[in-house]
Coordinates of all heavy atoms in Angstrom, one line a residue:
I1441 N 25.8 125.8 38.6 CA 27.2 125.8 38.4 C 27.9 125.3 39.7 O 27.8 126.0 40.7 CB 27.7 127.2 38.0 CG1 27.0 127.7 36.8 CG2 29.2 127.2 37.8 CD1 27.1 129.2 36.5
P1442 N 28.5 124.2 39.7 CA 29.1 123.6 40.9 C 30.4 124.3 41.4 O 31.5 123.7 41.3 CB 29.3 122.1 40.6 CG 29.5 122.1 39.1 CD 28.7 123.3 38.6
S1443 N 30.3 125.6 41.7 CA 31.4 126.3 42.2 C 31.1 127.3 43.3 O 30.1 128.1 43.2 CB 32.0 127.2 41.0 OG 32.9 128.1 41.4
V1444 N 31.8 127.1 44.4 CA 31.6 128.0 45.6 C 31.8 129.5 45.2 O 31.1 130.4 45.5 CB 32.5 127.6 46.7 CG1 32.4 128.6 47.9 CG2 32.2 126.2 47.2
W1445 N 32.9 129.7 44.4 CA 33.3 131.1 44.0 C 32.2 131.7 43.1 O 31.8 132.9 43.4 CB 34.6 131.1 43.3 CG 35.7 130.8 44.2 CD1 36.4 129.6 44.3 CD2 36.3 131.7 45.2 NE1 37.4 129.7 45.3 CE2 37.3 131.0 45.9 CE3 36.0 133.0 45.6 CZ2 38.0 131.5 46.9 CZ3 36.7 133.5 46.7 CH2 37.7 132.8 47.3
V1446 N 31.7 131.0 42.1 CA 30.7 131.6 41.3 C 29.4 131.9 42.1 O 28.8 133.0 41.9 CB 30.4 130.6 40.1 CG1 29.1 131.0 39.4 CG2 31.5 130.5 39.2
N1447 N 29.0 131.0 42.9 CA 27.8 131.2 43.7 C 28.0 132.3 44.7 O 27.1 133.1 44.9 CB 27.4 129.9 44.5 CG 26.7 129.0 43.6 OD1 25.5 129.0 43.4 ND2 27.4 128.1 42.9
G1448 N 29.2 132.5 45.3 CA 29.5 133.6 46.2 C 29.4 135.0 45.4 O 28.8 135.9 46.0
I1449 N 29.9 135.0 44.2 CA 29.8 136.3 43.4 C 28.4 136.6 43.0 O 27.9 137.7 43.1 CB 30.7 136.1 42.2 CG1 32.2 136.1 42.6 CG2 30.4 137.3 41.2 CD1 33.2 135.7 41.5
V1450 N 27.6 135.5 42.7 CA 26.2 135.7 42.3 C 25.4 136.3 43.5 O 24.6 137.2 43.3 CB 25.6 134.4 41.7 CG1 24.1 134.5 41.6 CG2 26.3 134.1 40.4
V1451 N 25.7 135.7 44.7 CA 25.0 136.2 45.8 C 25.3 137.6 46.2 O 24.4 138.4 46.5 CB 25.3 135.3 47.1 CG1 24.8 135.9 48.4 CG2 24.6 133.9 46.9
A1452 N 26.6 138.0 46.0 CA 27.0 139.4 46.2 C 26.2 140.3 45.3 O 25.7 141.4 45.7 CB 28.5 139.5 46.1
I1453 N 26.2 140.0 44.0 CA 25.5 140.8 43.0 C 24.0 140.8 43.3 O 23.3 141.9 43.2 CB 25.7 140.2 41.6 CG1 27.2 140.4 41.2 CG2 24.8 140.9 40.6 CD1 27.6 139.6 40.0
A1454 N 23.4 139.7 43.8 CA 22.0 139.7 44.2 C 21.7 140.6 45.3 O 20.7 141.3 45.3 CB 21.6 138.2 44.5
W1455 N 22.6 140.7 46.3 CA 22.4 141.6 47.4 C 22.4 143.1 46.9 O 21.6 143.9 47.4 CB 23.5 141.4 48.5 CG 23.0 140.5 49.5 CD1 23.4 139.3 49.8 CD2 21.9 140.8 50.4 NE1 22.6 138.8 50.9 CE2 21.7 139.7 51.3 CE3 21.1 141.9 50.6 CZ2 20.7 139.7 52.3 CZ3 20.1 141.9 51.6 CH2 19.9 140.8 52.4
I1456 N 23.3 143.4 46.0 CA 23.3 144.7 45.4 C 21.9 145.0 44.7 O 21.3 146.1 44.9 CB 24.5 144.9 44.4 CG1 25.8 144.9 45.2 CG2 24.3 146.2 43.6 CD1 27.0 144.7 44.3
G1457 N 21.4 144.0 44.0 CA 20.1 144.1 43.3 C 19.0 144.3 44.3 O 18.1 145.2 44.1
S1458 N 19.0 143.5 45.4 CA 18.0 143.7 46.4 C 18.0 145.0 47.1 O 17.0 145.7 47.3 CB 18.1 142.6 47.5 OG 17.7 141.3 47.0
A1459 N 19.2 145.5 47.4 CA 19.4 146.9 47.9 C 18.8 147.9 47.0 O 18.1 148.9 47.4 CB 20.8 147.1 48.2
A1460 N 19.1 147.8 45.7 CA 18.6 148.7 44.7 C 17.0 148.7 44.7 O 16.4 149.8 44.6 CB 19.1 148.4 43.3
L1461 N 16.4 147.5 44.8 CA 15.0 147.4 44.8 C 14.4 148.1 46.0 O 13.4 148.8 46.0 CB 14.5 146.0 44.7 CG 14.7 145.3 43.3 CD1 14.4 143.8 43.4 CD2 13.8 145.9 42.3
I1462 N 15.1 147.9 47.2 CA 14.6 148.5 48.4 C 14.6 150.0 48.3 O 13.6 150.7 48.6 CB 15.4 148.0 49.6 CG1 15.1 146.5 49.9 CG2 15.1 148.8 50.9 CD1 16.0 145.8 50.9
Y1463 N 15.8 150.5 47.9 CA 16.0 152.0 47.9 C 15.1 152.7 46.8 O 14.6 153.8 47.1 CB 17.4 152.4 47.6 CG 18.3 152.2 48.8 CD1 19.3 151.2 48.9 CD2 18.1 153.1 49.9 CE1 20.0 151.1 50.1 CE2 18.9 152.9 51.1 CZ 19.9 152.0 51.1 OH 20.6 151.8 52.3
H1464 N 14.8 152.0 45.7 CA 13.9 152.6 44.7 C 12.5 152.3 45.0 O 11.6 153.0 44.4 CB 14.3 152.1 43.3 CG 15.6 152.6 42.8 ND1 16.8 151.9 42.9 CD2 15.9 153.8 42.3 CE1 17.8 152.7 42.4 NE2 17.3 153.9 42.1
G1465 N 12.2 151.4 45.8 CA 10.7 151.0 46.1 C 10.1 151.7 47.2 O 8.9 151.9 47.3
V1466 N 10.9 152.2 48.2 CA 10.4 152.8 49.4 C 9.6 154.1 49.1 O 8.5 154.2 49.5 CB 11.5 153.1 50.4 CG1 11.0 154.1 51.5 CG2 12.1 151.8 51.0
A1467 N 10.2 155.0 48.3 CA 9.5 156.2 48.0 C 8.2 156.1 47.3 O 7.2 156.6 47.7 CB 10.4 157.2 47.2
P1468 N 8.1 155.3 46.2 CA 6.8 155.2 45.5 C 5.8 154.4 46.3 O 4.6 154.8 46.3 CB 7.1 154.6 44.1 CG 8.4 153.9 44.3 CD 9.2 154.7 45.4
L1469 N 6.2 153.3 46.9 CA 5.2 152.5 47.6 C 4.6 153.1 48.8 O 3.5 153.0 49.2 CB 5.8 151.1 48.0 CG 6.1 150.1 46.9 CD1 6.8 148.9 47.4 CD2 4.8 149.7 46.2
F1470 N 5.5 153.9 49.5 CA 5.0 154.6 50.8 C 4.8 156.0 50.6 O 4.6 156.8 51.6 CB 6.1 154.3 51.9 CG 6.4 152.9 52.1 CD1 7.6 152.5 52.5 CD2 5.4 151.9 51.9 CE1 7.9 151.1 52.7 CE2 5.7 150.5 52.1 CZ 7.0 150.2 52.5
R1471 N 4.8 156.5 49.3 CA 4.4 157.9 49.0 C 5.3 158.9 49.7 O 4.8 159.8 50.3 CB 3.0 158.1 49.2 CG 2.1 157.3 48.3 CD 0.7 157.1 48.8 NE 0.0 156.0 48.2 CZ 0.1 154.7 48.5 NH1 0.9 154.3 49.4 NH2 -0.6 153.8 47.8
L1472 N 6.6 158.7 49.8 CA 7.5 159.6 50.4 C 8.1 160.5 49.4 O 8.8 160.1 48.5 CB 8.7 158.8 51.1 CG 8.3 158.0 52.4 CD1 9.5 157.1 52.8 CD2 8.0 159.0 53.5
E1473 N 7.8 161.8 49.6 CA 8.4 162.8 48.7 C 9.8 163.2 49.0 O 10.6 163.5 48.2 CB 7.5 164.1 48.8 CG 6.0 163.9 48.4 CD 5.9 163.5 46.9 OE1 6.7 163.9 46.1 OE2 4.9 162.7 46.6
D1474 N 10.1 163.1 50.3 CA 11.5 163.5 50.8 C 12.4 162.3 50.6 O 12.3 161.2 51.2 CB 11.4 163.8 52.3 CG 12.7 164.3 52.8 OD1 13.7 164.1 52.2 OD2 12.7 165.0 53.9
H1475 N 13.4 162.4 49.6 CA 14.3 161.3 49.3 C 15.2 161.0 50.4 O 15.7 159.8 50.5 CB 15.0 161.6 48.0 CG 14.2 161.4 46.8 ND1 13.8 160.1 46.4 CD2 13.6 162.2 45.9 CE1 13.1 160.2 45.3 NE2 12.9 161.5 45.0

């Protein structure tokens, strides 16, 4: 989509998704019981 605005919004949403993956992945991958 040749739009700076659309791409900016998609990147912002992608960062939220990456943050969610990090926060949800740390505990099970590293066996951390303490949230």
